[in-house]
């Protein structure tokens, strides 16, 4: 195990972005940036022994600062959407900045991924990222002390642990927004990847991608990934939910979620044999099929085209603050939000 640091680039205000690369005995690497606590790359060996970078994103600081659509981002303090950009805590209504069409608040207005975090190397295989957010930024309550710890193990597991505590009662829901392409970032679309989601229910949305409040069965819909199928099999089916979101972009309710690590998803690219298994302690997982990628230049200046990466964002359900029946992510002052998500990689043969 080793951790190396290198200057990754410079932000437009002159601050330096540092890259931390953790490497294990297999030659698997996890590269992190202190800016945005981004996962910049994950390189694993495929079934032929060829190393592939399985994350779509950028190889320059300008990309992360100006061209990002949350590729590899730490999203927070509240990942995904808050309907109407508003919620109420103990009778006080908070009117947040609405960074999506002036209607909804998405990914905490990009706060966590536009912040220079303080990185700390822990031992030979972990890096902790720390950020103390100011109370009230973007209208969002709570001075939150956020710590995200990334660890790579010798069995090719990446663990992401979150520990966040606020000085004020508030909602907390951070996530990791890595876009995966298990064929390699430069291998085209992800429609032939096979996917299993261990969720028999999902949360349907309205035309603004805000949950209706229902936890609907996936059975007999294109949202049924309880039996493995290809991402592309039904992504363009004639279905109102898929029309609202332009393809999969929905929260799935993880079966049996109880706060312990549960298997939430498994994806495989047949060409490389690379398998990603996602475990989490959280109740939900956003399966987003990269529908909004639209040719912005990414790594190697290659355009990141529609559906060339997919995200499996572990989370409390979107818009939980406005849906009391959803599992709660409201934390008292001084009460710690903690969660863990694991990305485990291995290969399968034909
Ligand atoms: C999340 C959302 C998507 C989209 C992406 C970023 O996954 O659910 O609708 O906003 O982030 O483009």
């Amino acid at each position: 195990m080793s951790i190396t640091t290198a200057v990754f680039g410079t932000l437009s205000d002159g601050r330096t972005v540092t890259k931390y690369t953790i490497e294990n005995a297999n030659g698997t690497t996890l590269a992190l940036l202190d800016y945005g606590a981004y996962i910049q790359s994950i390189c694993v060996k495929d079934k032929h022994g060829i190393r592939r970078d399985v994350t779509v994103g950028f190889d320059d600081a300008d990309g992360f600062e100006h061209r990002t659509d949350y590729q590899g981002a730490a999203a927070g303090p509240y990942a995904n959407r808050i309907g109407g950009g508003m919620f109420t805590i103990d009778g006080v209504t908070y009117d947040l900045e609405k960074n999506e069409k002036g209607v909804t608040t998405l990914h905490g207005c990009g706060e966590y991924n536009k912040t220079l975090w303080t990185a700390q190397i822990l031992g030979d295989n972990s890096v902790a990222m720390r950020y103390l957010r100011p109370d009230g930024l973007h209208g969002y309550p709570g001075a939150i002390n956020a710590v995200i710890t990334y660890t790579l193990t010798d069995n090719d597991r990446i663990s992401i642990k979150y520990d966040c505590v606020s000085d004020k009662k508030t909602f907390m829901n951070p996530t990791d927004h890595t876009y995966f392409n298990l064929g390699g970032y430069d291998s085209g679309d992800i429609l032939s990847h096979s996917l299993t989601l261990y969720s028999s229910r999902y949360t349907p949305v309205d035309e603004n991608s805000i949950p209706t409040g229902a936890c609907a069965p996936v059975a007999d819909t294109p949202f049924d990934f309880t039996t493995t199928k290809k991402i592309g099999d039904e992504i363009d089916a004639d279905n109102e939910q898929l029309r609202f979101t332009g393809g999969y972009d929905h929260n799935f309710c993880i079966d049996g979620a109880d706060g312990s690590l549960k298997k939430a998803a498994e994806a495989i690219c047949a060409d490389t044999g690379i398998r990603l298994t996602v475990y989490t302690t959280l109740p939900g997982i956003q399966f987003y099929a990269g529908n909004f990628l639209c040719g912005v230049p990414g790594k190697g200046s290659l355009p990141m085209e529609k559906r060339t990466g997919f995200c499996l964002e572990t989370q409390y359900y979107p818009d939980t603050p406005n849906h009391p029946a959803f599992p709660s992510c409201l934390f008292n002052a001084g009460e710690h939000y903690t969660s863990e998500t694991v990305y485990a990689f291995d290969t399968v043969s034909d």
Side-chain angles (χ1 to χ4, degrees):
M1 281 288 185
S2 67
I3 303 181
T4 51
T5 62
V7 172
F8 182 71
T10 309
L11 299 173
S12 42
D13 64 6
R15 288 178 299 166
T16 299
V17 180
T18 304
K19 171 161 137 173
Y20 295 78
T21 306
I22 312 175
E23 179 161 3
N24 73 11
N26 308 325
T28 298
T29 56
L30 165 67
L32 304 161
L33 303 182
D34 52 4
Y35 179 68
Y38 282 100
I39 290 185
Q40 192 268 330
S41 68
I42 299 172
C43 296
V44 294
K45 284 195 190 122
D46 71 9
K47 65 182 176 187
H48 309 294
I50 300 168
R51 282 179 92 237
R52 309 262 179 193
D53 178 354
V54 294
T55 67
V56 175
F58 306 97
D59 45 24
D60 61 324
D62 180 78
F64 286 103
E65 191 178 8
H66 298 298
R67 306 196 303 278
T68 182
D69 200 13
Y70 305 95
Q71 285 87 343
Y78 196 97
N80 211 282
R81 293 181 175 79
I82 295 176
M86 281 213 195
F87 56 69
T88 301
I89 301 173
D90 293 341
V92 179
T93 297
Y94 293 90
D95 188 4
L96 317 177
E97 240 173 79
K98 296 154 198 53
N99 62 328
E100 203 182 29
K101 300 178 210 147
V103 178
T104 48
T105 301
L106 175 66
H107 295 320
C109 291
E111 181 185 331
Y112 281 9
N113 60 294
K114 295 279 178 194
T115 292
L116 194 59
W117 295 62
T118 303
Q120 182 188 9
I121 293 175
L122 302 172
D124 61 1
N125 69 340
S126 292
V127 176
M129 299 287 182
R130 295 168 197 280
Y131 169 51
L132 179 57
R133 84 172 299 269
D135 181 21
L137 190 58
H138 307 296
Y140 201 95
I144 298 173
N145 193 345
V147 184
I148 312 178
T149 306
Y150 299 83
T151 303
L152 171 67
T153 65
D154 266 331
N155 56 354
D156 290 345
R157 288 166 78 100
I158 293 170
S159 151
I160 310 176
K161 284 187 176 162
Y162 299 81
D163 187 337
C164 305
V165 61
S166 170
D167 67 343
K168 218 182 225 181
K169 193 173 189 180
T170 197
F171 295 98
M172 291 191 271
N173 185 26
T175 194
D176 171 68
H177 204 295
T178 295
Y179 288 65
F180 295 99
N181 186 325
L182 303 177
Y185 72 89
D186 51 356
S187 67
D189 71 54
I190 45 80
L191 297 174
S192 63
H193 281 50
S194 62
L195 179 69
T196 316
L197 294 173
Y198 298 90
S199 290
S200 39
R201 293 182 178 267
Y202 78 114
T203 51
V205 294
D206 66 13
E207 62 281 5
N208 290 321
S209 286
I210 299 298
T212 60
C215 292
V218 296
D220 302 320
T221 76
F223 294 86
D224 191 353
F225 285 90
T226 58
T227 306
T228 308
K229 69 182 178 207
K230 290 190 174 145
I231 291 175
D233 281 352
E234 295 180 273
I235 195 169
D236 290 319
D238 183 14
N239 173 283
E240 182 181 58
Q241 283 295 312
L242 290 171
R243 272 198 300 279
F244 280 162
T245 49
Y248 296 108
D249 187 2
H250 291 75
N251 171 69
F252 288 73
C253 313
I254 299 166
D255 290 339
D258 62 2
S260 66
L261 266 183
K262 296 276 178 204
K263 196 197 269 195
E266 188 177 293
I268 300 172
C269 168
D271 294 343
T272 58
I274 296 173
R275 170 165 59 188
L276 163 67
T277 309
V278 180
Y279 302 85
T280 187
T281 60
L282 289 163
I285 187 165
Q286 183 86 7
F287 167 44
Y288 168 54
N291 313 301
F292 298 137
L293 294 174
C294 58
V296 169
K299 291 176 183 174
S301 299
L302 282 176
M304 293 177 288
E305 302 292 0
K306 183 173 176 178
R307 299 177 180 162
T308 53
F310 65 97
C311 304
L312 292 166
E313 306 150 58
T314 56
Q315 60 187 2
Y316 283 90
Y317 305 170
D319 199 29
T320 285
N322 295 307
H323 295 283
F326 286 176
S328 172
C329 58
L330 182 59
F331 293 83
N332 285 315
E335 188 187 356
H336 285 251
Y337 163 104
T338 58
S339 71
E340 181 177 11
T341 291
V342 172
Y343 299 139
F345 293 93
D346 64 357
T347 54
V348 292
S349 40
D350 303 324

